[in-house]
Amino acid sequence: MADTPENYARIAAFGREFWNRWVRTGLDALAVQATDKHGKDRLRELIANLKLADVTPLAESDWRDKGLDRLPELATVTFRNVDFGNLYGSRPVIFSGFVFPPQMSFAGATFGYHVRFKGSTFGDKATFADATFGVDADFTGATFSGRAHFDGATFGGGAHFDGATFGGWTRFAGATFGDGASFDGATFGGWTRFDGATFGGGAHFDGATFGDQVRCDRTTFGDRASFDGATFGAHARFNGATFGKHASFGGATFGDWARFAGATFGLGASFEGRTEDQLRDILKNAIPPTLPNAKHRDAWVNARLSAAKPNRFGWISFAGANFLGECSFIGRVFAGPVGFQAARFGKPPEFAGTEGHGFIDPHGMSVSFPRRWWWPFANRGVQSETSARIRRLRKIMADIHAQDVERALFILERRAERAIAWNGVAAKPLYLAPWRFLKTSGLTLLQVAYQALSNFGRSIVLPFVWLFASVAGFHAAYWQFWAKPVRALSFFDRDLISYSLGNLLPFVNTLSPARGEVLKRLFCPTDVSGACVASRFGEIIVPIRVELLALGEGIINAVLLFLLLQAIRNYFKMK
């Protein structure tokens, strides 16, 4: 029988007991050859033990035909590119409890609907790169003593690695998982990588323990991804990762630092702290099913509890992260730098019961809430709890002297109050509360104007631009409605421009002697000699339409100048 992957698959089909004895015989033979150059008698004894009839359905006469009359050469054992669907048909592929050689490869293999590696043991290196699994791949309680490579592997629904133990280096980079992938209670060694992997809905890592390095950069998780009660080693990275709805890291323990820079969270994300009793309940639900009895299960839970800090954050970064929906940090204690630089929250986050706020860096953080496109203040999703969350967050920002963020939250709180007020208006017919409608409308229009003219006193550019537009617009109005019988004026007449600019500071400009000369040249009729002919009372009569325009310009420019000065003050404001 040739040493081909298909033939090794047929040997595996004899069952676990035969396969394990076959592999252990090969391992014993390697040990004998390494320690005893004259161990031929021992080797013959190993072969004899291998041929016992109770571990294989083959008759003695079939050994030579099957190539089993010699010791296995474990270095050549491989299942690379084997199509188990062709070999097994609709039957499940069962490797449960198998002991594999030190170097074992299933790279590129294709499994049928069901494959079982439950409780199997892999040696120094196990490779499943680019393998394809059906709807049910079960690695529950499997042990990977050394390296485990699943790069580019494709799993259907129901990939189970619950309670699995991984050695020093584990890779799932670029792997694709269907719904229901589960790593509950799994133990990962020093290095673990899920870079670029894609998970369907319901991916679970509850109670999992990771080594010093875990990388999930650019990993995509579907809805309900859960890392509740997980313990991360020194460094954990989720940079650029994408989470669907209701991602949860409740009670998760992070080591020296963790990064979620540029990550995107869908509608609902939880980083809440947990008490020891709450964490114990989480771990009990994540106990590996392969543990034999209650004593071992209790020891497993207690070992994880002793290393967990389910309410503590060390150094963690959410710089540039995007939270599309609600996010909660209830009960967390910030014991190291917590970065929210340029983070965006689609709803006000919840920080109730948190401590150590001095470690928070909110520079560039923005908070908003969903709103209807046609009306920026009416929103039935905004309730009184929304305002309460904003106030709690405002207090934290005030305590750490983050003035920019605090002011933005103050504005958001006012907008939330407007939304709640409109919700109250909508709850009753208009004829029952007309004054309430008028009051809410007026305050809303003031907010709209305040935002449009100066972004609530935060923009220096906006009032400056509006001021320039006001002067240009009124200058055009003066030219359009000018008293033509006095004299014809061009659009760029110096006196007309001087009159328009003079209304920037109307109350100061009226005291200027130069203004009187401008008024004479603009409004005073002249005689044959060109001298000004004033009215019989000695006054220069300005047309009423021009006076009204000047009054309007003066009021508008005064408001815009006030907003400009306010924005400058707010920009340089120090507490």
Side-chain angles (χ1 to χ4, degrees):
M1 176 171 133
D3 293 335
T4 65
E6 288 76 12
N7 288 334
Y8 290 128
R10 293 187 178 93
I11 295 174
F14 294 156
R16 178 185 63 190
E17 188 174 356
F18 175 76
W19 171 271
N20 288 349
R21 183 169 297 186
W22 185 70
V23 170
R24 290 192 180 102
T25 299
L27 294 174
D28 291 344
L30 291 175
V32 169
Q33 292 170 348
T35 58
D36 186 359
K37 295 182 180 180
H38 305 287
K40 295 182 180 180
D41 293 339
R42 174 58 179 154
L43 294 178
R44 283 194 291 269
E45 181 182 349
L46 291 174
I47 295 176
N49 290 335
L50 178 66
K51 295 180 180 179
L52 292 177
D54 61 341
V55 295
T56 176
L58 294 178
E60 186 87 14
S61 59
D62 293 332
W63 284 105
R64 185 177 299 277
D65 294 338
K66 299 296 182 183
L68 299 177
D69 57 342
R70 54 188 173 83
L71 289 171
E73 297 180 8
L74 298 184
T76 66
V77 178
T78 179
F79 293 97
R80 181 181 293 271
N81 297 323
V82 172
D83 188 343
F84 288 91
N86 288 337
L87 295 176
Y88 283 73
S90 60
R91 292 177 297 143
V93 181
I94 298 178
F95 288 98
S96 296
F98 276 43
V99 177
F100 291 96
Q103 305 286 329
M104 192 68 229
S105 176
F106 287 85
T110 300
F111 298 91
Y113 286 103
H114 305 282
V115 58
R116 303 280 190 272
F117 286 90
K118 188 174 183 178
S120 296
T121 301
F122 296 87
D124 296 337
K125 183 178 181 181
T127 301
F128 288 84
D130 300 316
T132 301
F133 297 86
V135 297
D136 184 16
D138 189 356
F139 287 82
T140 301
T143 299
F144 297 86
S145 302
R147 297 188 172 212
H149 287 190
F150 288 82
D151 296 353
T154 301
F155 296 85
H160 298 284
F161 289 83
D162 301 331
T165 300
F166 295 89
W169 186 283
T170 306
R171 291 176 57 100
F172 285 86
T176 301
F177 295 84
D179 294 341
S182 179
F183 290 79
D184 289 349
T187 301
F188 295 87
W191 282 78
T192 304
R193 302 190 66 169
F194 285 89
D195 308 61
T198 301
F199 289 85
H204 273 229
F205 291 79
D206 295 349
T209 299
F210 295 88
D212 290 339
Q213 299 278 348
V214 55
R215 293 188 180 183
C216 296
D217 296 344
R218 302 174 306 282
T219 303
T220 300
F221 296 90
D223 296 343
R224 305 179 309 283
S226 177
F227 289 81
D228 289 349
T231 299
F232 295 89
H235 302 152
R237 288 176 41 167
F238 289 83
N239 294 338
T242 301
F243 296 85
K245 300 177 182 178
H246 309 300
S248 180
F249 287 80
T253 298
F254 295 92
D256 294 341
W257 57 256
R259 294 178 183 267
F260 290 84
T264 299
F265 296 87
L267 301 179
S270 173
F271 288 85
E272 296 180 359
R274 294 287 189 269
T275 65
E276 183 174 327
D277 290 339
Q278 290 172 333
L279 181 59
R280 184 182 297 275
D281 292 338
I282 293 173
L283 294 176
K284 285 181 178 179
N285 292 327
I287 292 176
T290 53
L291 293 180
N293 52 50
K295 181 179 179 181
H296 287 82
R297 291 191 288 271
D298 290 341
W300 184 89
V301 170
N302 291 331
R304 276 160 169 74
L305 281 174
S306 63
K309 297 177 181 179
N311 64 342
R312 177 185 178 276
F313 268 164
W315 192 102
I316 190 167
S317 173
F318 295 94
N322 189 13
F323 297 87
L324 302 180
E326 295 185 357
C327 181
S328 177
F329 296 90
I330 292 176
R332 282 290 183 177
V333 176
F334 304 124
V338 180
F340 289 101
Q341 302 92 333
R344 299 182 299 278
F345 292 89
K347 287 187 176 181
E350 179 60 90
F351 280 81
T354 55
E355 300 177 14
H357 301 145
F359 288 105
I360 297 177
D361 182 0
H363 181 72
M365 184 180 82
S366 62
V367 182
S368 61
F369 52 77
R371 62 189 185 189
R372 297 175 183 173
W373 66 270
W374 56 271
W375 190 247
F377 294 94
N379 191 324
R380 293 190 180 277
V382 178
Q383 304 296 333
S384 58
E385 175 59 25
T386 305
S387 293
R389 285 189 180 189
I390 297 173
R391 284 194 295 271
R392 285 192 288 268
L393 189 55
R394 269 189 63 203
K395 185 178 185 306
I396 293 174
M397 296 301 109
D399 292 342
I400 64 177
H401 303 293
Q403 288 86 14
D404 290 343
V405 180
E406 180 192 358
R407 179 166 180 79
L409 290 171
F410 172 78
I411 294 167
L412 188 68
E413 185 179 356
R414 299 285 81 78
R415 290 173 55 191
E417 291 174 353
R418 290 297 95 221
I420 295 171
W422 276 111
N423 292 339
V425 170
K428 292 183 178 181
L430 180 60
Y431 65 86
L432 293 180
W435 291 110
R436 186 176 185 180
F437 171 80
L438 293 175
K439 176 184 176 182
T440 305
S441 298
L443 293 175
T444 298
L445 290 175
L446 282 176
Q447 285 194 5
V448 171
Y450 194 22
Q451 180 179 15
L453 294 177
S454 68
N455 192 19
F456 300 103
R458 293 180 294 177
S459 173
I460 298 176
V461 175
L462 273 178
F464 183 81
V465 171
W466 280 110
L467 194 60
F468 178 83
S470 172
V471 172
F474 277 100
H475 175 76
Y478 294 139
W479 177 76
Q480 180 69 27
F481 298 109
W482 200 253
K484 301 295 183 182
V486 177
R487 65 185 175 99
L489 297 176
S490 69
F491 185 79
F492 297 101
D493 184 86
R494 289 179 59 186
D495 290 332
L496 186 59
I497 293 175
S498 177
Y499 183 79
S500 300
L501 292 177
N503 288 324
L504 275 173
L505 298 171
F507 305 107
V508 177
N509 196 46
T510 54
L511 304 177
S512 172
R515 183 174 176 81
E517 296 299 323
V518 171
L519 291 176
K520 285 181 181 182
R521 290 193 294 270
L522 289 175
F523 300 105
C524 185
T526 58
D527 57 16
V528 178
S529 64
C532 175
V533 180
S535 68
R536 60 178 177 170
F537 299 104
E539 298 177 352
I540 300 171
I541 300 175
V542 180
I544 187 63
R545 56 181 176 272
V546 177
E547 289 280 17
L548 292 176
L549 285 174
L551 178 62
E553 182 183 12
I555 294 174
I556 292 174
N557 289 345
V559 172
L560 292 174
L561 284 172
F562 170 78
L563 294 176
L564 177 62
L565 294 174
Q566 183 193 45
I568 294 174
R569 172 185 174 274
N570 290 336
Y571 182 79
F572 291 103
K573 185 178 180 181
M574 298 293 291
K575 288 188 177 181

